[in-house]
Every structure is written in C-alpha cells, then in structure tokens.
Amino acid sequence: MRIVKIIFWTLWRIWFYALMGFFILLMFPFLVVSILREEWYKYFFFMARIWAKGILFGMGFYYKVDREQVLKSRKSYMIVANHTSMIDIMLMLAIESNPFVFVGKKELAKIPLFGFFYKRTCILVDRNSSRSRFEVYDLAQKRLKQGLSICIFPEGGVPDESVVLDEFKDGAFRLAIEHQIPIVPMTFADNKKRLSFTFFSGSPGLLRARIHSSIETQGLSLDNRKEVKDKARSVILDQLNKYNLI
C-alpha cells in the first residue's frame, strides 16, 4: 500500500508542475504582451487568475470562501495570509479579483516558465540581503501609488510542518501604516493538507479560505506597527483554531 501511495504522490507532483507549464504556454503570447508596460498589469492579473483557477481545478481542488467583506475596486489594501503550501499563490489569485502584486522570495524566479513572469510582475526579496529588503519598500510604494494592492505572507517564508502559524515580520505592517491603507487578513485552512512542501503528501479536495474584516491604519504611526501586526496574527490564529487546526 505504501508503494502505491508513493507512486501516486510522485505522479501528483509531476502533474502539478505540468499544469503550471501547460497554462503558461497556452497563454504565453498574451502574457508576454501584458508585461510590456506597467499600466497593463491588470490584463496580466486577469490571465494570472485564469492560470491559477486552471491549476486548482486541474488538481482536483475546489474552494469555499467565507467573506467578512468584499474588497472595493480601485482601492489599495495590504493583504496578508498564512503560508503553508505551493498553492497559496494560486488560491489567493482565485479568490480575490482586485489586482494585487505579490512580494515573494527571489528563489521562485528560478522555476522554468513560471519564473520568467514571476520576476517581471512580482516584487522579489532576498531575505539574506538588507539592501534587497530596503528595495522592496521602494517597489511596493510605487505599486501602491498606481492604485494596486500588495500581498505579503508575513511569516517571511514557509514555516516548519509542525508550526501552525509562525511569528510575523514587520514589513507588511510598516508599509500599510506608512501608506495608511487597510490590512486584510486571510486564512487558508487546507492548503498544507492538500499540497504541502513535503513531497510525498497531498490529495484532491476542499480548500477553505476566509477573508476577514480590514484592520484600519488611518491615523496610526509606526509606533503602532506591533499592535496591528499582533492583531492580524491573532485574527488568523483564531480562525485556524476554529478550523480545528490547532
């Protein structure tokens, strides 16, 4: 039985990467055109959502989203969520239609095909470089001024499998306060179970997500960043508890 599972999981992972490549190749000319100018990002984002949904459904995933609010169009937000899986990016794109830009680790740019567009549309950070982290602020500010939202996984990476929710870094909350934009926590319940970073694991099934009410930053200063950071983490941690994941 163990051998059967290992064969399934191996084919499962190969199929995941095959789907990623297939949908990129299918839309390749349109994706290339959409990244030629920054103001065309909304067209790239639209196609990225098709890509994400195609992968999720192709993997046998279906999602249920509980919304405490609907994000307003043409309004900038700081979106934060727990990070446990390679499909966090896909689910985030699938459930939120207002254009946003990911801040993510530069290592993902090495993935064939995906990396080509990733490094041209996302804000890349090298967490081992203080200069890179400083540049992230400049790039994020530029995107926010264009009316886009920013999405950051504030744990600063994927925690160990045994960790339910790691401590949050300051970056997302500092940016949100500096630009006086609302922080929107999101909780992903099942991504780790469905497709974690452990190779021999995963299965088709339900992906639950919750979009929480905004945490306002109007009138706050950088002295309040720990307060809003702890509040955002508490919201997500409480929801994970309600999902019986703690």
Side-chain angles (χ1 to χ4, degrees):
M1 186 63 179
R2 177 66 179 173
I3 296 298
V4 174
K5 286 184 176 180
I6 289 174
I7 293 172
F8 169 78
W9 283 324
T10 301
L11 294 175
W12 179 247
R13 296 286 165 154
I14 292 172
W15 178 239
F16 173 71
Y17 288 109
L19 281 172
M20 285 181 63
F22 170 76
F23 284 106
I24 291 174
L25 288 173
L26 187 65
M27 299 185 290
F28 191 81
F30 306 102
L31 289 169
V32 170
V33 171
S34 70
I35 64 174
L36 293 178
R37 300 179 64 174
E38 283 191 353
E39 58 265 36
W40 292 348
Y41 179 80
K42 61 182 179 180
Y43 303 115
F44 173 84
F45 184 81
F46 173 78
M47 287 181 284
R49 296 192 72 223
I50 296 173
W51 170 81
K53 291 181 179 182
I55 293 170
L56 294 178
F57 290 126
M59 292 292 289
F61 300 137
Y62 58 99
Y63 49 87
K64 178 183 177 183
V65 186
D66 295 319
R67 298 177 185 270
E68 295 178 12
Q69 65 168 327
V70 176
L71 304 192
K72 297 178 181 178
S73 61
R74 300 185 181 183
K75 178 177 174 64
S76 294
Y77 297 87
M78 177 61 67
I79 302 170
V80 297
N82 56 313
H83 195 20
T84 59
S85 169
M86 291 182 285
I87 57 172
D88 293 340
I89 290 174
M90 290 80 172
L91 185 58
M92 184 72 77
L93 286 166
I95 67 176
E96 182 48 55
S97 59
N98 286 317
F100 60 83
V101 177
F102 282 107
V103 174
K105 56 186 180 181
K106 71 170 189 176
E107 290 81 3
L108 294 180
K110 298 177 182 178
I111 299 176
L113 282 180
F114 172 82
F116 175 82
F117 294 101
Y118 175 79
K119 66 184 178 183
R120 288 167 174 79
T121 56
C122 299
I123 299 172
L124 274 57
V125 58
D126 179 358
R127 294 188 173 92
N128 297 318
S129 167
S130 57
R131 179 180 178 183
S132 175
R133 293 196 297 271
F134 183 78
E135 290 173 348
V136 165
Y137 285 99
D138 289 339
L139 293 170
Q141 287 173 1
K142 182 179 180 181
R143 289 301 202 173
L144 288 169
K145 288 176 182 178
Q146 294 170 347
L148 298 170
S149 294
I150 299 293
C151 176
I152 296 178
F153 296 107
E155 291 166 278
V158 180
D160 184 86
E161 290 282 316
S162 62
V163 177
V164 176
L165 187 67
D166 211 344
E167 295 300 320
F168 284 3
K169 309 297 184 186
D170 284 350
F173 309 97
R174 184 185 184 94
L175 273 169
I177 291 172
E178 286 179 343
H179 289 270
Q180 299 286 281
I181 59 174
I183 299 163
V184 181
M186 295 189 185
T187 306
F188 298 152
D190 307 295
N191 294 10
K192 183 190 292 187
K193 177 171 65 176
R194 296 297 170 216
L195 197 76
S196 76
F197 282 87
T198 299
F199 189 86
F200 294 115
S201 65
S203 65
L206 174 66
L207 302 173
R208 291 169 294 172
R210 188 172 190 88
I211 300 175
H212 301 280
S213 299
S214 298
I215 299 172
E216 295 299 329
T217 62
Q218 285 288 335
L220 300 183
S221 71
L222 290 179
D223 292 336
N224 303 111
R225 65 182 181 276
K226 185 179 186 305
E227 173 190 333
V228 294
K229 177 179 69 174
D230 291 346
K231 185 174 182 179
R233 186 176 184 275
S234 178
V235 167
I236 295 173
L237 192 62
D238 288 348
Q239 186 61 46
L240 291 171
N241 187 37
K242 291 175 183 176
Y243 283 136
N244 296 317
L245 297 178
I246 299 176

